[in-house]
Amino acid sequence: MAKGKRFRSEKFKKIKNMLIIFLLISLIYIVYYVWNSKKEQNETDELLNSVEIDISNQDESVTERMLEVKALKEQYSDIVAWLEIEGTNINYPVMQGTDNDFYVNHDYKGEKSIRGSIFLDKGYNWSIPSNNLLLYGHNNSKDGTMFADLLKYKDENFCKEHSTIKFTTPEEDAEYEIISVFLSRIYYKSETDVYRWYYFIDAENEEKYNEYINYVKENSLYDIEKTAEYGEQIITLVTCEYSTENGRLAVVAKKKIQ
């Protein structure tokens, strides 16, 4: 009897010790994640201020932000733009690689990063240019970085108060106005009779363009009066949303006429 109790006691101690070790490892990981994320965020916050630009003798159409993005691109060739939504944590360089995998877990310097980067779909063709700037970013809910704040757009009032997306390239300082916020998911290859909206980058024709706009408007979480007409530039911001398997939240906006 005493032997059985001793065995159970030793087994309990082993389980307890394993649990303590697991909790310590988890705590160390969380501390490291927060510390590393804060370090990366501070570097990103200072990125625009770190470049030297000459604003003298510039055309009036060239803004300071355009010059900053141009200077950054000279240092980091994969930077194609700067994305900002005032009143949120979304204020980042936009990367574009040769695939859609690299910047999932690398920063703008090409270094490994838990947070990843905001990146433009590899299929976007700047020489046309394509119809839809399709951007991806992690939903880093632990620290609120990258596209975590996109989840706030589930709230209609938040959308009304943060309805403008700023997208700056070396050639243009543009603003986009939101026309839709919707939930969806990535479909399995075996699924038929579904619209794979995340493939829409460049419309073959007006019908294909309108198909995308009709889909995002019909599936919007709430009614937004503004829409887009064929030929207008679109931007779509996409992040993970965990209410369904392979879930995604997308914010769609059209370019304002300046």
Side-chain angles (χ1 to χ4, degrees):
M1 197 72 168
K3 185 177 180 181
K5 287 183 178 180
R6 188 163 57 250
F7 174 78
R8 286 193 296 272
S9 177
E10 289 176 356
K11 185 178 181 181
F12 175 77
K13 286 180 180 178
K14 286 182 179 179
I15 294 173
K16 181 180 178 181
N17 289 337
M18 289 175 64
L19 182 60
I20 291 172
I21 291 170
F22 173 77
L23 291 174
L24 284 173
I25 292 173
S26 299
L27 180 61
I28 291 170
Y29 172 79
I30 293 170
V31 170
Y32 170 76
Y33 179 91
V34 173
W35 173 83
N36 191 63
S37 181
K38 184 67 175 176
K39 175 175 173 288
E40 289 184 4
Q41 186 64 42
N42 289 338
E43 289 179 359
T44 305
D45 290 342
E46 294 300 319
L47 189 55
L48 286 177
N49 298 327
S50 69
V51 295
E52 295 183 3
I53 59 173
D54 182 8
I55 60 175
S56 63
N57 301 319
Q58 294 291 340
D59 187 279
E60 290 183 358
S61 63
V62 178
T63 67
E64 187 173 335
R65 178 62 60 87
M66 289 166 62
L67 293 173
E68 289 170 337
V69 175
K70 181 180 179 181
L72 285 174
K73 187 170 179 60
E74 290 172 355
Q75 294 182 44
Y76 309 101
S77 60
D78 280 355
I79 290 181
V80 294
W82 193 276
L83 179 74
E84 180 181 7
I85 304 178
E86 291 185 0
T88 75
N89 289 327
I90 299 172
N91 189 25
Y92 297 105
V94 177
M95 316 304 295
Q96 186 182 32
T98 56
D99 58 46
N100 286 340
D101 297 320
F102 185 78
Y103 285 108
V104 169
N105 53 16
H106 287 81
D107 64 15
Y108 64 91
K109 294 178 290 187
E111 298 177 355
K112 277 282 189 178
S113 168
I114 297 172
R115 300 186 313 156
S117 297
I118 304 301
F119 62 96
L120 177 67
D121 192 284
K122 66 179 179 61
Y124 187 89
N125 188 340
W126 290 94
S127 64
I128 301 175
S130 298
N131 299 106
N132 184 27
L133 291 153
L134 183 57
L135 273 60
Y136 307 97
H138 283 309
N139 167 16
N140 293 328
S141 57
K142 291 186 179 69
D143 57 15
T145 60
M146 295 300 149
F147 273 172
D149 274 0
L150 285 189
L151 275 295
K152 295 179 180 179
Y153 280 95
K154 290 181 180 181
D155 184 337
E156 184 176 1
N157 289 327
F158 183 87
C159 182
K160 289 178 179 178
E161 294 169 1
H162 305 83
S163 61
T164 299
I165 298 170
K166 298 174 70 175
F167 188 83
T168 308
T169 69
E171 291 76 31
E172 184 180 37
D173 205 350
E175 291 188 346
Y176 290 73
E177 52 188 349
I178 294 173
I179 64 170
S180 173
V181 178
F182 68 94
L183 296 176
S184 185
R185 64 184 179 88
I186 303 300
Y187 298 107
Y188 294 109
K189 290 182 179 180
S190 59
E191 291 181 274
T192 58
D193 297 325
V194 293
Y195 180 60
R196 291 177 168 81
W197 54 271
Y198 40 84
Y199 288 161
F200 177 75
I201 298 172
D202 194 46
E204 297 175 11
N205 48 47
E206 185 174 355
E207 181 182 356
K208 293 295 184 182
Y209 183 95
N210 290 338
E211 183 181 27
Y212 180 76
I213 298 302
N214 290 338
Y215 176 86
V216 303
K217 293 296 292 179
E218 289 172 2
N219 288 277
S220 187
L221 295 176
Y222 36 81
D223 184 55
I224 300 175
E225 184 178 351
K226 295 181 178 67
T227 188
E229 303 294 336
Y230 179 60
E232 291 185 298
Q233 181 70 45
I234 301 296
I235 189 169
T236 303
L237 315 182
V238 183
T239 195
C240 291
E241 198 279 335
Y242 301 111
S243 63
T244 187
E245 185 181 7
N246 294 324
R248 297 292 186 272
L249 178 139
V251 176
V252 185
K254 73 167 182 176
K255 188 177 177 181
K256 292 183 179 180
I257 299 174
Q258 298 180 342

